[in-house]
Amino acid sequence: MTAAQEFRPLRLMKVVITSATEKETIQLKGKIVESSANFGALSIHFHTSGVGLLAASFSITRLIYEEKPDFIIQLGIAGCFDTKMDLGKVVIVKEDGVGDQGVEENGRFIDLFESSPLMGSKEQLNLKKMANPHLKDLNFTFLEEVSACTVNEVTTQPHRIDLLLKENNFAIETMEGAALHYCCLQLGIPFVQIRAISNYIGERDKTKWKFSEAFNNLAIEGYNFMESLNAAQ
């Protein structure tokens, strides 16, 4: 039996919706408060982790130990590498990893497991490809499943974008997603990461970004997901 098959939703499941900033969940929170009767099988809580890998890793770990959630949903906006994907589109992450942990050498970006003889990828969780083992059972609303990378520095330079994509199939980039995957995989907590695309990677003209559309669609799809999760109880 796989880890995904072992997952069984609990009655009155304690669900924590986490985001880097309150802006990313405030619309969804309003929708849920207005229609709380629709979520009778869920105990819903909101959590703000802060921006970046360090803040999110600490905050999510503390959340798991102190609040003991049954399920964690991370919502947020993201940049997108694929310019054929519409801005505002909402996707669900099938795998996430740290995109800038390693060394740039000879026209390649070599991740930590390749670059260091001290790291044993077979013995340790590969930080480049942390797959969500529960997604087969938890993508209730059939959002497009994409690969993501998490970075400490937002990618802006064309050569850096090329290096990231050269040997990877990343669709989106965030600053906290890998923290969710790492913490939940290490501590055995079912999770999903849902993202709305606000901009294309490398586009620094913010007049071309679609924050409003991303926030609005994230709330709509987040609400739809919560309805489906509730119905599954």
Side-chain angles (χ1 to χ4, degrees):
M1 182 176 289
T2 67
Q5 291 172 330
E6 290 172 359
F7 172 71
R8 293 292 182 272
L10 304 175
R11 285 296 171 185
L12 201 58
M13 172 187 279
K14 185 173 185 178
V15 179
V16 174
I17 301 171
T18 183
S19 59
T21 67
E22 291 185 5
K23 287 183 179 180
E24 290 161 300
T25 53
I26 191 168
Q27 291 186 50
L28 174 60
K29 187 174 184 179
K31 287 177 176 288
I32 289 176
V33 168
E34 290 173 5
S35 58
S36 58
N38 293 341
F39 301 97
L42 307 177
S43 174
I44 302 171
H45 306 260
F46 284 84
H47 169 264
T48 303
S49 69
V51 176
L53 269 170
L54 281 177
S57 295
F58 173 78
S59 188
I60 292 172
T61 299
R62 183 174 182 176
L63 163 72
I64 292 171
Y65 277 109
E66 293 185 355
E67 302 298 326
K68 296 179 173 51
D70 298 309
F71 187 39
I72 299 178
I73 302 168
Q74 185 182 64
L75 296 181
I77 59 174
C80 185
F81 290 101
D82 185 358
T83 56
K84 295 179 181 179
M85 198 171 286
D86 292 336
L87 295 182
K89 181 175 181 175
V90 180
V91 296
I92 195 166
V93 176
K94 63 182 179 181
E95 60 184 7
D96 205 325
V98 184
D100 55 5
Q101 186 164 277
V103 59
E104 189 174 325
E105 188 175 81
N106 298 323
R108 293 182 62 210
F109 185 82
I110 306 171
D111 71 80
L112 183 67
F113 288 93
E114 284 187 77
S115 65
S116 175
L118 301 178
M119 297 297 293
S121 59
K122 293 182 179 180
E123 290 77 28
Q124 302 184 49
L125 183 62
N126 190 330
L127 302 183
K128 189 176 180 180
K129 297 284 185 180
M130 293 183 285
N132 186 341
H134 310 292
L135 201 55
K136 180 181 178 181
D137 295 329
L138 295 178
N139 189 4
F140 298 119
T141 52
F142 305 103
L143 294 171
E144 181 175 348
E145 299 180 8
V146 302
S147 295
C149 70
T150 301
V151 294
N152 293 287
E153 178 185 0
V154 174
T155 307
T156 61
Q157 299 301 316
H159 88 279
R160 187 75 179 101
I161 295 172
D162 290 342
L163 283 177
L164 276 173
L165 296 180
K166 193 171 184 179
E167 299 176 25
N168 302 285
N169 60 339
F170 300 135
I172 65 170
E173 174 184 277
T174 78
M175 298 185 77
E176 303 83 22
L180 172 79
H181 286 236
Y182 185 81
C183 294
C184 289
L185 288 171
Q186 293 284 41
L187 298 173
I189 305 297
F191 66 97
V192 296
Q193 180 188 170
I194 298 174
R195 295 281 178 172
I197 299 167
S198 59
N199 61 284
Y200 296 121
I201 303 296
E203 177 57 70
R204 304 315 299 159
D205 182 356
K206 291 186 175 60
T207 64
K208 297 180 180 180
W209 292 22
K210 301 294 183 182
F211 280 119
S212 295
E213 290 89 340
F215 288 140
N216 184 62
N217 293 344
L218 189 63
I220 292 170
E221 293 297 343
Y223 187 88
N224 291 341
F225 184 89
M226 295 300 292
E227 279 194 319
S228 297
L229 178 62
N230 183 74
Q233 303 313 294

